[in-house]
Short mmCIF file of all heavy atoms in Angstrom, two decimals:
data_model
loop_
_atom_site.label_atom_id
_atom_site.label_comp_id
_atom_site.label_asym_id
_atom_site.label_seq_id
_atom_site.Cartn_x
_atom_site.Cartn_y
_atom_site.Cartn_z
N SER U 1 72.91 68.23 59.14
CA SER U 1 72.70 68.17 57.68
C SER U 1 72.45 69.56 57.10
O SER U 1 72.74 69.79 55.93
CB SER U 1 71.53 67.23 57.33
OG SER U 1 70.30 67.73 57.85
N LEU U 2 71.96 70.50 57.89
CA LEU U 2 71.78 71.86 57.43
C LEU U 2 73.12 72.51 57.11
O LEU U 2 73.26 73.21 56.09
CB LEU U 2 71.04 72.71 58.48
CG LEU U 2 69.58 72.39 58.70
CD1 LEU U 2 69.05 73.13 59.93
CD2 LEU U 2 68.74 72.74 57.49
N LEU U 3 74.09 72.28 57.98
CA LEU U 3 75.44 72.81 57.74
C LEU U 3 76.04 72.26 56.47
O LEU U 3 76.55 73.00 55.62
CB LEU U 3 76.34 72.47 58.94
CG LEU U 3 77.81 72.82 58.80
CD1 LEU U 3 78.04 74.32 58.66
CD2 LEU U 3 78.62 72.26 59.98
N LYS U 4 75.94 70.95 56.28
CA LYS U 4 76.50 70.33 55.09
C LYS U 4 75.69 70.66 53.86
O LYS U 4 76.24 70.75 52.74
CB LYS U 4 76.59 68.82 55.30
CG LYS U 4 77.52 68.41 56.43
CD LYS U 4 78.92 68.93 56.17
CE LYS U 4 79.87 68.61 57.30
NZ LYS U 4 81.24 69.14 57.05
N TRP U 5 74.41 70.86 54.00
CA TRP U 5 73.55 71.33 52.91
C TRP U 5 74.09 72.68 52.43
O TRP U 5 74.18 72.93 51.22
CB TRP U 5 72.13 71.41 53.43
CG TRP U 5 71.05 71.76 52.44
CD1 TRP U 5 71.19 72.20 51.14
CD2 TRP U 5 69.64 71.67 52.68
NE1 TRP U 5 69.96 72.42 50.59
CE2 TRP U 5 68.99 72.07 51.48
CE3 TRP U 5 68.87 71.29 53.77
CZ2 TRP U 5 67.59 72.13 51.38
CZ3 TRP U 5 67.48 71.35 53.67
CH2 TRP U 5 66.84 71.76 52.48
N GLY U 6 74.42 73.55 53.36
CA GLY U 6 74.99 74.84 52.99
C GLY U 6 76.32 74.68 52.26
O GLY U 6 76.56 75.39 51.27
N GLU U 7 77.18 73.77 52.74
CA GLU U 7 78.44 73.57 52.06
C GLU U 7 78.28 73.02 50.65
O GLU U 7 78.99 73.42 49.73
CB GLU U 7 79.31 72.60 52.90
CG GLU U 7 79.79 73.18 54.23
CD GLU U 7 80.60 72.19 55.05
OE1 GLU U 7 80.98 71.14 54.49
OE2 GLU U 7 80.85 72.47 56.22
N ALA U 8 77.30 72.12 50.50
CA ALA U 8 77.03 71.58 49.16
C ALA U 8 76.50 72.67 48.24
O ALA U 8 76.88 72.76 47.05
CB ALA U 8 76.03 70.42 49.27
N ALA U 9 75.61 73.52 48.74
CA ALA U 9 75.06 74.61 47.94
C ALA U 9 76.17 75.60 47.56
O ALA U 9 76.22 76.13 46.44
CB ALA U 9 73.95 75.33 48.71
N GLN U 10 77.11 75.82 48.49
CA GLN U 10 78.25 76.70 48.19
C GLN U 10 79.10 76.09 47.09
O GLN U 10 79.54 76.81 46.16
CB GLN U 10 79.08 76.93 49.44
CG GLN U 10 80.28 77.87 49.22
CD GLN U 10 81.01 78.14 50.53
OE1 GLN U 10 80.57 77.81 51.63
NE2 GLN U 10 82.21 78.74 50.41
N GLY U 11 79.34 74.80 47.16
CA GLY U 11 80.08 74.13 46.11
C GLY U 11 79.42 74.21 44.76
O GLY U 11 80.09 74.30 43.72
N ALA U 12 78.08 74.22 44.77
CA ALA U 12 77.31 74.33 43.51
C ALA U 12 77.11 75.78 43.11
O ALA U 12 76.40 76.07 42.15
CB ALA U 12 75.96 73.66 43.70
N GLN U 13 77.72 76.71 43.86
CA GLN U 13 77.62 78.16 43.61
C GLN U 13 76.17 78.66 43.71
O GLN U 13 75.82 79.62 43.03
CB GLN U 13 78.25 78.51 42.26
CG GLN U 13 79.72 78.19 42.18
CD GLN U 13 80.39 78.69 40.93
OE1 GLN U 13 79.78 79.35 40.08
NE2 GLN U 13 81.65 78.33 40.73
N LYS U 14 75.41 78.05 44.57
CA LYS U 14 74.07 78.52 44.89
C LYS U 14 74.19 79.34 46.17
O LYS U 14 73.84 78.89 47.27
CB LYS U 14 73.10 77.34 45.05
CG LYS U 14 72.90 76.55 43.76
CD LYS U 14 71.90 75.42 43.93
CE LYS U 14 71.65 74.70 42.61
NZ LYS U 14 70.65 73.60 42.74
N TRP U 15 74.68 80.55 46.03
CA TRP U 15 75.13 81.32 47.16
C TRP U 15 74.00 81.64 48.15
O TRP U 15 74.17 81.51 49.37
CB TRP U 15 75.76 82.64 46.69
CG TRP U 15 76.77 82.46 45.60
CD1 TRP U 15 76.71 82.94 44.33
CD2 TRP U 15 78.02 81.71 45.67
NE1 TRP U 15 77.81 82.57 43.61
CE2 TRP U 15 78.64 81.83 44.38
CE3 TRP U 15 78.67 81.00 46.66
CZ2 TRP U 15 79.86 81.23 44.12
CZ3 TRP U 15 79.86 80.39 46.40
CH2 TRP U 15 80.47 80.53 45.14
N ASP U 16 72.83 82.04 47.63
CA ASP U 16 71.73 82.40 48.53
C ASP U 16 71.19 81.20 49.28
O ASP U 16 70.81 81.30 50.45
CB ASP U 16 70.60 83.06 47.72
CG ASP U 16 70.98 84.45 47.23
OD1 ASP U 16 71.83 85.09 47.86
OD2 ASP U 16 70.41 84.91 46.21
N VAL U 17 71.17 80.04 48.63
CA VAL U 17 70.75 78.82 49.32
C VAL U 17 71.73 78.49 50.41
O VAL U 17 71.34 78.11 51.53
CB VAL U 17 70.64 77.65 48.31
CG1 VAL U 17 70.35 76.33 49.05
CG2 VAL U 17 69.56 77.91 47.28
N ALA U 18 73.00 78.62 50.13
CA ALA U 18 74.03 78.31 51.12
C ALA U 18 73.87 79.24 52.33
O ALA U 18 73.93 78.79 53.48
CB ALA U 18 75.42 78.47 50.50
N ILE U 19 73.70 80.53 52.10
CA ILE U 19 73.52 81.49 53.19
C ILE U 19 72.33 81.12 54.04
O ILE U 19 72.35 81.11 55.28
CB ILE U 19 73.38 82.90 52.63
CG1 ILE U 19 74.68 83.39 52.02
CG2 ILE U 19 72.94 83.88 53.73
CD1 ILE U 19 74.57 84.68 51.24
N GLN U 20 71.22 80.76 53.36
CA GLN U 20 70.00 80.39 54.06
C GLN U 20 70.22 79.17 54.97
O GLN U 20 69.80 79.17 56.13
CB GLN U 20 68.89 80.09 53.06
CG GLN U 20 67.58 79.67 53.67
CD GLN U 20 66.54 79.31 52.62
OE1 GLN U 20 66.79 79.38 51.44
NE2 GLN U 20 65.37 78.92 53.08
N GLN U 21 70.88 78.15 54.46
CA GLN U 21 71.07 76.93 55.23
C GLN U 21 72.08 77.13 56.37
O GLN U 21 71.93 76.57 57.44
CB GLN U 21 71.51 75.77 54.32
CG GLN U 21 70.53 75.43 53.23
CD GLN U 21 69.10 75.27 53.77
OE1 GLN U 21 68.90 74.65 54.82
NE2 GLN U 21 68.13 75.78 53.05
N TYR U 22 73.13 77.92 56.10
CA TYR U 22 74.08 78.23 57.17
C TYR U 22 73.39 78.94 58.33
O TYR U 22 73.60 78.60 59.50
CB TYR U 22 75.21 79.10 56.62
CG TYR U 22 76.26 78.38 55.81
CD1 TYR U 22 76.84 79.04 54.70
CD2 TYR U 22 76.67 77.11 56.11
CE1 TYR U 22 77.80 78.39 53.94
CE2 TYR U 22 77.64 76.45 55.34
CZ TYR U 22 78.19 77.12 54.25
OH TYR U 22 79.16 76.48 53.50
N LYS U 23 72.56 79.92 58.01
CA LYS U 23 71.85 80.66 59.05
C LYS U 23 70.85 79.78 59.77
O LYS U 23 70.66 79.89 61.00
CB LYS U 23 71.17 81.89 58.46
CG LYS U 23 72.14 82.99 58.02
CD LYS U 23 71.41 84.20 57.50
CE LYS U 23 72.38 85.33 57.16
NZ LYS U 23 71.66 86.52 56.64
N LYS U 24 70.19 78.91 59.04
CA LYS U 24 69.23 77.99 59.64
C LYS U 24 69.93 77.03 60.61
O LYS U 24 69.40 76.73 61.67
CB LYS U 24 68.51 77.22 58.54
CG LYS U 24 67.30 76.41 58.99
CD LYS U 24 66.58 75.82 57.78
CE LYS U 24 65.40 74.95 58.19
NZ LYS U 24 64.33 75.71 58.89
N PHE U 25 71.11 76.58 60.24
CA PHE U 25 71.88 75.71 61.11
C PHE U 25 72.20 76.44 62.43
O PHE U 25 72.05 75.87 63.51
CB PHE U 25 73.15 75.26 60.42
CG PHE U 25 74.16 74.61 61.35
CD1 PHE U 25 73.93 73.33 61.82
CD2 PHE U 25 75.30 75.28 61.74
CE1 PHE U 25 74.84 72.73 62.69
CE2 PHE U 25 76.20 74.68 62.59
CZ PHE U 25 75.98 73.41 63.09
N LEU U 26 72.65 77.68 62.33
CA LEU U 26 72.97 78.43 63.54
C LEU U 26 71.76 78.59 64.43
O LEU U 26 71.85 78.53 65.65
CB LEU U 26 73.50 79.81 63.17
CG LEU U 26 74.99 79.99 62.88
CD1 LEU U 26 75.33 81.45 62.70
CD2 LEU U 26 75.85 79.37 63.98
N ALA U 27 70.60 78.82 63.82
CA ALA U 27 69.39 79.06 64.58
C ALA U 27 68.87 77.79 65.27
O ALA U 27 68.31 77.85 66.35
CB ALA U 27 68.30 79.64 63.67
N GLU U 28 69.09 76.62 64.64
CA GLU U 28 68.46 75.40 65.13
C GLU U 28 69.43 74.49 65.91
O GLU U 28 68.98 73.58 66.62
CB GLU U 28 67.87 74.60 63.95
CG GLU U 28 66.74 75.33 63.27
CD GLU U 28 66.02 74.46 62.23
OE1 GLU U 28 66.25 73.23 62.23
OE2 GLU U 28 65.27 75.01 61.43
N ARG U 29 70.73 74.71 65.81
CA ARG U 29 71.67 73.80 66.47
C ARG U 29 71.53 73.87 67.99
O ARG U 29 71.16 74.92 68.56
CB ARG U 29 73.11 74.11 66.07
CG ARG U 29 73.64 75.45 66.54
CD ARG U 29 75.07 75.67 66.11
NE ARG U 29 75.98 74.78 66.78
CZ ARG U 29 76.60 75.07 67.93
NH1 ARG U 29 76.42 76.26 68.49
NH2 ARG U 29 77.44 74.22 68.48
N ASP U 30 71.86 72.78 68.62
CA ASP U 30 71.90 72.71 70.07
C ASP U 30 73.36 72.68 70.52
O ASP U 30 74.06 71.70 70.27
CB ASP U 30 71.18 71.41 70.56
CG ASP U 30 71.18 71.31 72.07
OD1 ASP U 30 71.78 72.15 72.74
OD2 ASP U 30 70.54 70.33 72.58
N PRO U 31 73.84 73.77 71.15
CA PRO U 31 75.25 73.81 71.54
C PRO U 31 75.69 72.69 72.47
O PRO U 31 76.87 72.37 72.56
CB PRO U 31 75.36 75.17 72.25
CG PRO U 31 74.22 75.99 71.72
CD PRO U 31 73.11 74.98 71.49
N GLU U 32 74.71 72.08 73.12
CA GLU U 32 75.03 71.00 74.07
C GLU U 32 75.14 69.64 73.37
O GLU U 32 75.57 68.67 73.98
CB GLU U 32 73.97 70.91 75.17
CG GLU U 32 73.80 72.20 75.96
CD GLU U 32 75.09 72.62 76.65
OE1 GLU U 32 75.79 71.72 77.15
OE2 GLU U 32 75.42 73.81 76.67
N ARG U 33 74.71 69.56 72.12
CA ARG U 33 74.71 68.28 71.42
C ARG U 33 76.02 68.15 70.61
O ARG U 33 76.34 69.00 69.79
CB ARG U 33 73.51 68.18 70.48
CG ARG U 33 73.37 66.78 69.85
CD ARG U 33 72.23 66.73 68.84
NE ARG U 33 70.97 67.08 69.44
CZ ARG U 33 70.16 68.01 68.97
NH1 ARG U 33 70.47 68.70 67.89
NH2 ARG U 33 69.03 68.27 69.58
N ARG U 34 76.74 67.07 70.84
CA ARG U 34 78.08 66.92 70.23
C ARG U 34 77.98 66.86 68.71
O ARG U 34 78.90 67.38 68.03
CB ARG U 34 78.74 65.66 70.77
CG ARG U 34 80.22 65.52 70.43
CD ARG U 34 80.93 64.71 71.49
NE ARG U 34 80.37 63.38 71.61
CZ ARG U 34 80.90 62.29 71.04
NH1 ARG U 34 81.99 62.43 70.28
NH2 ARG U 34 80.38 61.10 71.20
N THR U 35 76.96 66.27 68.17
CA THR U 35 76.86 66.18 66.71
C THR U 35 76.54 67.53 66.05
O THR U 35 76.57 67.63 64.83
CB THR U 35 75.79 65.14 66.29
OG1 THR U 35 74.60 65.37 67.03
CG2 THR U 35 76.30 63.73 66.53
N ASP U 36 76.19 68.54 66.85
CA ASP U 36 75.92 69.87 66.31
C ASP U 36 77.15 70.78 66.38
O ASP U 36 77.08 71.95 66.04
CB ASP U 36 74.76 70.55 67.07
CG ASP U 36 73.41 69.96 66.67
OD1 ASP U 36 73.38 69.02 65.86
OD2 ASP U 36 72.38 70.45 67.18
N ASN U 37 78.27 70.21 66.84
CA ASN U 37 79.52 71.00 66.87
C ASN U 37 79.99 71.31 65.44
O ASN U 37 79.67 70.57 64.52
CB ASN U 37 80.61 70.27 67.62
CG ASN U 37 80.36 70.21 69.10
OD1 ASN U 37 79.55 70.98 69.64
ND2 ASN U 37 81.01 69.29 69.79
N PHE U 38 80.73 72.40 65.28
CA PHE U 38 81.22 72.78 63.97
C PHE U 38 82.48 73.62 64.10
O PHE U 38 82.75 74.15 65.18
CB PHE U 38 80.15 73.55 63.17
CG PHE U 38 79.81 74.91 63.76
CD1 PHE U 38 80.18 76.07 63.08
CD2 PHE U 38 79.11 75.03 64.94
CE1 PHE U 38 79.87 77.32 63.59
CE2 PHE U 38 78.79 76.30 65.47
CZ PHE U 38 79.17 77.43 64.80
N GLU U 39 83.24 73.70 63.01
CA GLU U 39 84.47 74.50 63.00
C GLU U 39 84.09 75.95 62.71
O GLU U 39 83.79 76.31 61.58
CB GLU U 39 85.44 73.97 61.96
CG GLU U 39 85.94 72.55 62.25
CD GLU U 39 86.93 72.06 61.22
OE1 GLU U 39 87.24 72.80 60.28
OE2 GLU U 39 87.39 70.90 61.38
N LYS U 40 84.14 76.77 63.73
CA LYS U 40 83.61 78.13 63.61
C LYS U 40 84.39 79.00 62.65
O LYS U 40 83.81 79.81 61.93
CB LYS U 40 83.58 78.79 65.02
CG LYS U 40 82.62 78.11 66.00
CD LYS U 40 82.63 78.84 67.34
CE LYS U 40 81.59 78.23 68.27
NZ LYS U 40 81.91 76.83 68.62
N GLY U 41 85.73 78.85 62.63
CA GLY U 41 86.54 79.66 61.70
C GLY U 41 86.13 79.42 60.26
O GLY U 41 85.84 80.36 59.49
N ALA U 42 86.07 78.14 59.86
CA ALA U 42 85.70 77.79 58.50
C ALA U 42 84.26 78.20 58.20
O ALA U 42 83.95 78.67 57.09
CB ALA U 42 85.86 76.29 58.28
N PHE U 43 83.40 78.09 59.20
CA PHE U 43 81.98 78.44 58.99
C PHE U 43 81.82 79.90 58.61
O PHE U 43 81.16 80.25 57.63
CB PHE U 43 81.18 78.14 60.27
CG PHE U 43 79.76 78.54 60.21
CD1 PHE U 43 78.80 77.69 59.64
CD2 PHE U 43 79.32 79.78 60.67
CE1 PHE U 43 77.48 78.06 59.58
CE2 PHE U 43 78.00 80.15 60.60
CZ PHE U 43 77.06 79.29 60.04
N TYR U 44 82.43 80.80 59.40
CA TYR U 44 82.26 82.24 59.14
C TYR U 44 82.99 82.69 57.86
O TYR U 44 82.53 83.61 57.18
CB TYR U 44 82.68 83.06 60.36
CG TYR U 44 81.65 83.00 61.45
CD1 TYR U 44 81.85 82.21 62.58
CD2 TYR U 44 80.45 83.70 61.35
CE1 TYR U 44 80.89 82.12 63.58
CE2 TYR U 44 79.49 83.63 62.34
CZ TYR U 44 79.71 82.84 63.48
OH TYR U 44 78.77 82.76 64.45
N ILE U 45 84.10 82.02 57.56
CA ILE U 45 84.77 82.32 56.27
C ILE U 45 83.87 81.92 55.14
O ILE U 45 83.70 82.68 54.15
CB ILE U 45 86.12 81.59 56.20
CG1 ILE U 45 87.13 82.21 57.17
CG2 ILE U 45 86.66 81.65 54.78
CD1 ILE U 45 87.52 83.64 56.88
N ASN U 46 83.28 80.71 55.19
CA ASN U 46 82.37 80.26 54.12
C ASN U 46 81.17 81.18 53.99
O ASN U 46 80.74 81.52 52.88
CB ASN U 46 81.89 78.84 54.40
CG ASN U 46 82.94 77.80 54.07
OD1 ASN U 46 83.84 78.05 53.29
ND2 ASN U 46 82.85 76.64 54.69
N LEU U 47 80.62 81.61 55.11
CA LEU U 47 79.49 82.53 55.09
C LEU U 47 79.88 83.85 54.45
O LEU U 47 79.11 84.45 53.67
CB LEU U 47 78.94 82.73 56.50
CG LEU U 47 77.53 83.26 56.67
CD1 LEU U 47 76.52 82.58 55.79
CD2 LEU U 47 77.13 83.19 58.14
N ALA U 48 81.07 84.33 54.77
CA ALA U 48 81.56 85.58 54.17
C ALA U 48 81.73 85.42 52.66
O ALA U 48 81.29 86.28 51.87
CB ALA U 48 82.90 85.97 54.81
#
């Protein structure tokens, strides 16, 4: 939900909120958990 929270904030043009949630997702995700998987290319483009 942190990743999607970031995407929603990006859609609302709340850029700093989006950056915060994207970074929080990276920090808290468990690479071994399937539901924490994400599309890395789109993620870093969105963050950029």
Side-chain angles (χ1 to χ4, degrees):
S1 64
L2 290 171
L3 173 63
K4 297 301 178 182
W5 185 348
E7 291 179 11
Q10 182 176 349
Q13 298 186 5
K14 296 183 176 180
W15 312 117
D16 290 334
V17 174
I19 292 170
Q20 178 183 359
Q21 300 311 318
Y22 283 144
K23 289 183 176 180
K24 191 173 177 64
F25 167 73
L26 274 186
E28 296 188 13
R29 68 179 291 268
D30 181 355
E32 302 300 321
R33 188 185 301 127
R34 192 152 59 99
T35 47
D36 285 3
N37 289 342
F38 67 110
E39 295 181 1
K40 295 181 176 64
F43 176 85
Y44 284 103
I45 289 295
N46 283 338
L47 198 47

